[in-house]
Amino acid sequence: MRGEVVRYDAIKGYAFVAADGLDEDVFLHVNDIDFDKALLAVGAVIELDHEMGERGPRALSASLVRSPVADAVQAAMAGDRLPPAEPGTTTSPVPSSHAHDGFADVLSAAELRGEVTERLLAAAGDLTGRQVLAVRGVVERIARAHGWLDA
């Protein structure tokens, strides 16, 4: 059965899922998911198996179909770079005014973290700090593995 996360409490480790075909939301505990809990957020679409418990439907297992966290990472990595943000301001993509030269920019780790954070917050402002840090860490590891960061 497929459903969408409508409430999530990262501190307590549970969510409620509006599942297709059910009148009640399904209770989901993070111990019953088969994916990184950093990807769990309101709006995530999951595939789940459930049972009727004493207090209503309860998920037995859940697999991720789509996550706004993953979508935000893709959005952050797409398009042109953002200019450095001034404290207290928002940023938007700056279109390139010149043809691409075939070479990639090499950034410092701090520049990458700042840019990824700004893109994540612009694309999905309801991400938690923990989710932003988790996604940013993954992107930084990928960038290091490909040599996209200054040593």
Side-chain angles (χ1 to χ4, degrees):
M1 172 175 292
R2 190 169 280 201
E4 182 175 333
V5 176
V6 292
R7 287 179 299 205
Y8 175 52
D9 186 325
I11 294 170
K12 294 182 180 176
Y14 67 84
F16 286 95
V17 179
D20 299 340
L22 291 179
D23 293 332
E24 290 183 74
D25 292 343
V26 178
F27 175 81
L28 172 66
H29 193 273
V30 294
N31 290 340
D32 298 321
I33 64 176
D34 67 359
F35 54 91
D36 187 335
K37 66 182 178 184
L39 296 174
L40 188 60
V42 171
V45 177
I46 59 172
E47 194 74 34
L48 58 89
D49 293 318
H50 76 286
E51 68 180 5
M52 286 305 290
E54 292 177 17
R55 299 169 76 184
R58 178 180 89 75
L60 298 171
S61 64
S63 299
L64 186 65
V65 174
R66 185 181 55 76
S67 169
V69 177
D71 294 345
V73 171
Q74 288 178 341
M77 295 177 71
D80 294 313
R81 289 188 54 209
L82 293 174
E86 296 295 324
T89 63
T90 60
T91 58
S92 59
V94 176
S96 245
S97 60
H98 63 285
H100 194 278
D101 61 7
F103 294 98
D105 291 336
V106 177
L107 304 172
S108 71
E111 289 171 322
L112 177 73
R113 286 190 297 269
E115 186 166 330
V116 168
T117 300
E118 289 299 320
R119 290 283 183 112
L120 288 172
L121 294 176
D126 60 347
L127 294 175
T128 67
R130 177 173 283 163
Q131 290 169 329
V132 169
L133 291 173
V135 171
R136 200 172 71 178
V138 169
V139 172
E140 186 174 342
R141 284 192 297 278
I142 291 168
R144 284 191 190 287
H146 287 281
W148 298 337
L149 296 177
D150 283 336

